Amino acid sequence: MASGRENGFKYRSELDGASREGHPAVRINPEKGDTDIIDMKTDLEYRPYEEILNIQTGKLRELMKGPWQQAPGFVHRLKDAGLTVDDLCDPGDIMKFPILRKSDLPSIQAAAPPFGGMITVPPGKLRRMYSSPGPIYDPDGHLASYYRWERAFAACGFSEGDIVLNCFSYHLTPAGAMFEEGANNLGCAVIPAGIGNSEIQVSVAAHLKANAYVGLPSYLKVLLEKAEETGLSLPFEKAFVIAEKLPESLRTEFQEENGIHVRQGYGTAEVGAIAYECEEGFGMHLDPTVLVEVLDPETHAPAPAGTPGEVVVTPFNPVNALLRFATGDLSSVTMEPCPCGRKSPRLTGILGRVDQVTKVRGLFVHPGQIAEVMAEFVEIERFRAVIVRERAMDDMTVEVETGKPLAAHTLETASGRLKEVLKLGVRVVRVEPGTIPDDATAIDDRRKWD
Ligand SMILES: [Zn+2]
């Protein structure tokens, strides 16, 4: 398929006058929104990442000196930390600034309702307001692209003239509206389908000839099954899936049995787009319009490439002063060059939530990492990792249950793969079917610390 550069879109805007080819995307227009950051002509994805980091630092300084001064909550946070905008000169200086935890948002907002003093306009000047579980209230302001999904969609092959079935909820939470914004900005028509009523959705998608899908991967499967049941044919050619794990087996099934090109992305309700897969489909490129850090959950130092850490993001949003927003999601980053030509590092999938990590022999282990390796072995039906502590040493064993006999080297190969992924020696042993209780957690931590 065409590369992202070839199928790049042009954002139509009255501010979009002379070509800004090669100009850094640092201009802010508070009334019309910042169109620069979503204009493919600036080609941010293909610039060296060091250059992107410098552009981002400049942009952050502008926001901190300009619109974010209107957000009392942000001004206080900076003051409490004893910092000013002049403490941010180089990209590395971001480390000096305090982290804003997603889990703290409910109390911050409750203390200064409704948005914790973090927005730069009066609430009545917003475009929409949402409520997510927490409760967390999310502002949505009048920007040309508030959530910036255009690049992610373009990388999945969406382009002008596509008809998109948007299967995210439009009720109270931002998902439905945020994906609609990105698709509309690309020049696609959107069917605001939401979630549920799969029979009606199939019929609408078939009759309106929706050739693209946005939603959960599991819901795409529901729709395809419903279509088969009702004898209708769904005209989907491409699907952008998010907010749920996409098993590679399911992606292959969509591709081979239904002819649907499937790519996934990562983002949050507060931030919008963070990362997305390109045509290669291995790892999600960091969106150049957000600053992404992957940090050791304990020390908050940058996690080395390949090591899991918490995703901390700074979107350059003139309406919402989010600086170093800690998502609670765990991922790792790869700096390997990508054949697609995009220069940004890639997130190697979302492993799970930070509060599920366990430390074994000083290394972070997440159940998602073990599950990913186990999924490579079709014979393994169930597993659990058991951690014990003997003579002051952590010891981890992964127990597996299989219905069928195992190939001779499977346990050894699985152990080798775990060592590659976890950087930790782990035994893999077969246990009798029924040994692992139905309600067992993926990691059974039996260490005693006193
Ligand atoms: Zn790529």
Side-chain angles (χ1 to χ4, degrees), residues 342-359:
R342 287 177 183 79
K343 297 285 194 290
S344 61
R346 282 168 288 163
L347 294 181
T348 54
I350 301 302
L351 296 165
R353 300 290 295 169
V354 165
D355 51 18
Q356 296 173 308
V357 291
T358 311
K359 242 182 171 181

Side-chain angles (χ1 to χ4, degrees), residues 227-293:
E228 203 171 321
E229 215 177 287
T230 52
L232 284 167
S233 156
L234 280 173
F236 298 147
E237 295 159 1
K238 47 207 158 190
F240 181 81
V241 299
I242 190 163
E244 192 180 77
K245 191 166 174 56
L246 170 67
E248 280 308 315
S249 55
L250 189 59
R251 190 202 307 255
T252 308
E253 184 187 320
F254 289 145
Q255 184 74 51
E256 288 178 1
E257 290 179 23
N258 309 102
I260 303 172
H261 173 78
V262 179
R263 288 293 175 265
Q264 59 185 330
Y266 166 61
T268 74
E270 299 78 15
V271 173
I274 296 175
Y276 48 85
E277 287 180 338
C278 62
E279 54 270 29
E280 301 295 324
F282 292 106
M284 298 181 280
H285 285 282
L286 303 183
D287 189 288
T289 60
V290 281
L291 171 58
V292 179
E293 302 168 82

Side-chain angles (χ1 to χ4, degrees), residues 1-49:
M1 66 171 287
S3 78
R5 191 191 288 266
E6 282 155 14
N7 68 16
F9 63 92
K10 288 189 183 66
Y11 179 67
R12 300 165 313 289
S13 157
E14 53 194 290
L15 292 181
D16 196 5
S19 165
R20 288 185 298 270
E21 185 85 46
H23 285 253
V26 291
R27 206 178 59 191
I28 294 169
N29 182 320
E31 270 111 38
K32 292 290 177 189
D34 190 346
T35 58
D36 276 357
I37 62 166
I38 59 162
D39 189 336
M40 277 292 189
K41 279 192 292 190
T42 58
D43 246 0
L44 288 183
E45 292 174 293
Y46 299 93
R47 294 202 205 168
Y49 201 61

Side-chain angles (χ1 to χ4, degrees), residues 32 107 205 211 221 352 368 415 423 437 449:
K32 292 290 177 189
S107 59
N211 66 337
K221 182 146 173 72
S415 167
K423 323 271 184 277
W449 299 99

